[in-house]
Amino acid sequence: MSFLLRDAFEADIPAIAEIYRESVLNGTSSYEIAPPSEAEMAQRFAAIISQQYPYIAAADADGNLLGYAYASAFRVRPAYRWMVEDSIYLAPEARGRGIGKALMTELIDRCTGLGFRQMIAVIGGASPASIALHLKAGFVEVGLMRGAGYKHGRWLDTMLMQRTLGEGMTTDPDPFTYPGTLFAG
């Protein structure tokens, strides 16, 4: 399956909402129970890109969205501004075809280029496929929250994984350039 990566656009919101809807209804990566509306997904998209976080789409040759990935604030307290949380969602037909890996690699590259120092993954349901993807991308396990969510009639664990970006903790970041300007307190 050939695909290309590009910035996600507002016009992608219906497809993004549908991919996320399927994940909410059938998966454990999100702990939402009811899929959000397109309007809500548009608000979330706008909030992420307004803060200059990357939001990436994977599309096939016909322009159909196969998946998407974005980075967002792990927490909004000023000391956390150097860390981002990754999110990746794929359409069912796109899973297991290398699209998640490509989205992850691009997301890591973009976040590193923006000056972020750490990336965290909060993996709902402790999904073995998602854990494997993150391990291949250089993440390490940093914690497991047992029974953190209840969905689809069962208790779900949440795996926390982390990856250093760029210089990580080896140097002090510049508080006067992005992302140092986020959440200034």
Side-chain angles (χ1 to χ4, degrees):
M1 171 180 282
S2 66
F3 62 93
L4 63 92
L5 300 181
R6 59 169 175 76
D7 289 336
F9 299 107
E10 193 171 334
D12 294 319
I13 296 301
I16 287 170
E18 183 55 35
I19 290 169
Y20 189 64
R21 179 184 185 285
E22 191 280 330
S23 291
V24 168
L25 292 176
N26 300 310
T28 60
S29 58
S30 170
Y31 283 4
E32 291 195 73
I33 304 297
S37 67
E38 280 186 30
E40 173 62 22
M41 293 300 286
Q43 288 177 345
R44 293 178 188 186
F45 175 82
I48 290 165
I49 63 169
S50 74
Q51 294 291 317
Q52 301 175 12
Y53 292 107
Y55 207 121
I56 307 162
D60 67 15
D62 295 324
N64 299 309
L65 208 68
L66 301 170
Y68 64 95
Y70 61 88
S72 59
F74 172 64
R75 298 284 185 265
V76 295
R77 303 290 191 268
Y80 284 116
R81 66 191 180 268
W82 308 104
M83 177 181 274
V84 289
E85 180 177 343
D86 74 278
S87 295
I88 298 176
Y89 291 93
L90 299 174
E93 68 274 13
R95 295 176 187 149
R97 299 178 183 258
I99 298 168
K101 180 181 178 184
L103 284 165
M104 175 68 75
T105 300
E106 182 70 13
L107 191 63
I108 289 168
D109 290 347
R110 289 190 188 195
C111 288
T112 301
L114 287 169
F116 291 102
R117 300 295 187 95
Q118 301 290 329
M119 185 176 279
I120 188 116
V122 181
I123 301 173
S127 162
S130 186
I131 290 170
L133 172 67
H134 284 83
L135 285 171
K136 288 177 187 173
F139 285 74
V140 296
E141 295 178 9
V142 293
L144 179 68
M145 297 186 294
R146 297 194 182 279
Y150 187 82
K151 186 175 178 181
H152 301 310
R154 61 189 170 110
W155 288 104
L156 301 169
D157 295 341
T158 300
M159 174 65 71
L160 300 175
M161 299 183 79
Q162 185 174 345
R163 184 190 194 285
T164 297
L165 302 177
E167 296 177 10
M169 298 179 291
T170 63
T171 63
D172 290 342
D174 181 354
F176 302 108
T177 62
Y178 185 88
T181 55
L182 286 170
F183 318 119

